[in-house]
Amino acid sequence: MAAVLGLIIGVVIGVFVQPDIPVWVQPYLPIMVVAALDALLGAARAYFERRFSDRVFIISFFANVVTATLLVLLGNQLGVGSQLQTAVIVVLGIRIFSNVSAIRRFIFRS
Amino acid sequence: MAGTRRDKSGAGDDGRENTISRMEARAKAEERNDDLATGSFPQVRRNGSGKRSVNGSGLKAKLLSSTLVVLMCALLGFGYMTQINNTQSTYETLSEDELVRLINETSNQAQLLEQRKNELSSQLSSLKAAADQREQAEKIAKQNEETSGIISGRLPAQGQGVVITITKGSKDIDAATLFTLIEELRNAGAEVISVGDVRVITSTSITSRDEQLLCDGVVLDTPYVIRAIGNPGDLQNAVNIAGGVGSRLKVMYGSRVTVVQSDDVVINAVRGTTTYDYAKNVE
């Protein structure tokens, strides 16, 4: 419930407040968003498996975001930023898919 | 035979032992099975029930953790919307060709705009110059209007000059003589002249009818008062010069001519503007 509420609040704020994000954040923001999305879906899956722990969620959320950002930063420094970005996106996408399929199994029981 | 028996008996021993151990195992299993304590049915355990909150279980901790969750999800949503807004204006997703085309278009546009800016600024400067010229022209036109207004009799005038009064003598004054007087005044440099209530302009005529003098069709009453603006001394001399028009008036018509110099001769008589039907400006 808290998560849904928070999402709605964030989207509303994002619609009405349109900040100029600093240039140095621009390449990392999409990765951050995808990583956070992955953490959120993992939390949803854990919730359905009845082993949701907010401590785990909070830590995994920040760990995901920070790891993804650091990876992309590393890639930018090594000159393979876009490739590494793609790799991170692919991995996170796979995780998101597996989480969604687990959730689906819990909902449809099949 | 015996061997086989022994073997058999040995086998029988083994079989007996086996049976005993099996029985023991079954007894144990049955004992376990007869256990009526809870948990005999498979049950989904709540995993990690101890880790449900950040710091044990307390209302404060729960509140803190859910606040954190709300905050993080809000952060996620906010970042998502920000990224959506941002993606619409970035060129990261465009291909190289598109970017090159975009750059070309932009530079073209910049050139066009620069050109337009130059045109407009030159236009602005020419307009400014024109405005200056116009102002100048307006000033000159105003001056012209004043002088030509005085000349053409459109505007009242005042200044140094003389007032000439001519009484009627023994004979009626000839129109030609009065006209001569005006001509003499003009020669002496009179700038503005009026006869009676009539402003004298270039087309002014003096005529006589029924022993009366008319100036531009207006009957003049005696004594005739002629006002002239100009150098008072010159004007007085022009009238009073020996053998001049003043003495002729005195001698021939018996009139009395008085010339009074004044520093402030006011001529209020004006003429309307004349429209020319034939004369046009030379361009």
Side-chain angles (χ1 to χ4, degrees):
Chain A
M1 209 35 56
V4 176
L5 192 72
L7 268 181
I8 291 170
I9 291 172
V11 168
V12 168
I13 292 175
V15 166
F16 286 107
V17 184
Q18 298 193 346
D20 283 334
I21 54 171
V23 176
W24 57 271
V25 177
Q26 274 184 10
Y28 306 114
L29 190 61
I31 296 289
M32 282 173 164
V33 169
V34 173
L37 212 60
D38 171 52
L40 193 70
L41 281 169
R45 177 188 182 172
Y47 180 78
F48 279 111
E49 286 174 355
R50 287 175 168 278
R51 54 185 181 84
F52 173 75
S53 151
D54 43 13
R55 183 173 59 179
V56 172
F57 171 54
I58 290 166
I59 291 173
S60 80
F61 186 97
F62 284 113
N64 258 6
V65 169
V66 168
T67 311
T69 310
L70 283 180
L71 260 178
V72 175
L73 182 71
L74 193 73
N76 280 344
Q77 280 176 348
L78 294 179
V80 287
S82 60
Q83 286 95 318
L84 210 50
Q85 203 165 341
T86 312
V88 169
I89 292 282
V90 165
V91 170
L92 289 174
I94 290 168
R95 281 173 56 113
I96 287 171
F97 265 107
S98 67
N99 281 338
V100 167
S101 65
I103 292 168
R104 183 205 59 198
R105 261 181 235 118
F106 271 96
I107 291 175
F108 297 111
R109 309 206 175 279
S110 58
Chain B
M1 217 28 209
T4 48
R5 259 198 76 143
R6 212 179 54 216
D7 280 342
K8 262 189 181 172
S9 76
D13 275 346
D14 281 331
R16 207 164 42 239
E17 275 172 32
N18 269 350
T19 316
I20 287 170
S21 67
R22 230 184 291 150
M23 280 175 68
E24 275 176 355
R26 186 180 290 176
K28 263 184 193 167
E30 272 174 355
E31 208 173 306
R32 224 185 303 141
N33 217 13
D34 286 344
D35 191 5
L36 290 177
T38 52
S40 52
F41 296 101
Q43 200 179 37
V44 177
R45 271 196 308 136
R46 286 196 138 187
N47 218 350
S49 57
K51 307 184 210 165
R52 271 191 70 83
S53 62
V54 176
N55 264 337
S57 61
L59 188 66
K60 205 171 156 188
K62 233 173 208 173
L63 207 69
L64 178 73
S65 69
S66 47
T67 311
L68 259 174
V69 170
V70 168
L71 197 73
M72 279 152 52
C73 288
L75 218 65
L76 170 59
F78 182 67
Y80 175 69
M81 288 313 293
T82 310
Q83 182 58 26
I84 282 178
N85 291 334
N86 196 38
T87 318
Q88 287 159 359
S89 63
T90 55
Y91 304 105
E92 268 178 29
T93 53
L94 296 178
S95 71
E96 201 172 321
D97 287 348
E98 281 175 318
L99 285 173
V100 168
R101 192 163 49 76
L102 213 62
I103 286 177
N104 283 340
E105 275 177 14
T106 311
S107 56
N108 268 349
Q109 207 166 355
Q111 248 173 0
L112 281 178
L113 286 175
E114 189 75 21
Q115 212 174 322
R116 181 104 182 98
K117 184 195 152 208
N118 285 337
E119 275 175 26
L120 284 176
S121 55
S122 68
Q123 208 171 339
L124 177 69
S125 57
S126 69
L127 276 176
K128 265 184 187 163
D132 282 353
Q133 277 182 353
R134 199 193 152 99
E135 212 168 288
Q136 208 78 26
E138 218 164 272
K139 219 163 129 188
I140 292 171
K142 205 173 174 196
Q143 280 180 349
N144 279 349
E145 195 209 350
E146 276 176 15
T147 50
S148 67
I150 290 173
I151 290 169
S152 65
R154 268 189 298 111
L155 299 172
Q158 67 172 22
Q160 287 189 330
V162 290
V163 178
I164 303 161
T165 315
I166 302 165
T167 56
K168 194 177 174 186
S170 51
K171 272 172 76 180
D172 286 332
I173 293 169
D174 193 7
T177 314
L178 198 61
F179 196 73
T180 312
L181 175 66
I182 292 168
E183 285 300 306
E184 289 289 342
L185 287 171
R186 273 186 180 152
N187 287 344
E191 287 164 359
V192 181
I193 302 169
S194 72
V195 178
D197 291 331
V198 182
R199 181 77 165 261
V200 176
I201 57 171
T202 49
S203 60
T204 297
S205 59
I206 306 273
T207 50
S208 61
R209 191 183 66 198
D210 301 339
E211 300 174 351
Q212 280 185 315
L213 286 179
L214 292 89
C215 182
D216 283 346
V218 178
V219 177
L220 296 172
D221 294 326
T222 51
Y224 308 119
V225 179
I226 297 163
R227 293 166 211 272
I229 293 174
N231 188 336
D234 289 354
L235 294 178
Q236 193 171 23
N237 284 343
V239 176
N240 289 343
I241 193 168
V245 68
S247 59
R248 194 170 354 142
L249 280 167
K250 284 176 196 161
V251 172
M252 288 175 65
Y253 302 102
S255 307
R256 197 145 45 81
V257 178
T258 50
V259 179
V260 180
Q261 291 190 20
S262 170
D263 279 345
D264 192 27
V265 177
V266 179
I267 297 178
N268 284 322
V270 292
R271 282 297 178 97
T273 50
T274 48
T275 52
Y276 296 97
D277 291 333
Y278 301 103
K280 294 262 182 342
N281 273 350
V282 177
E283 293 189 3

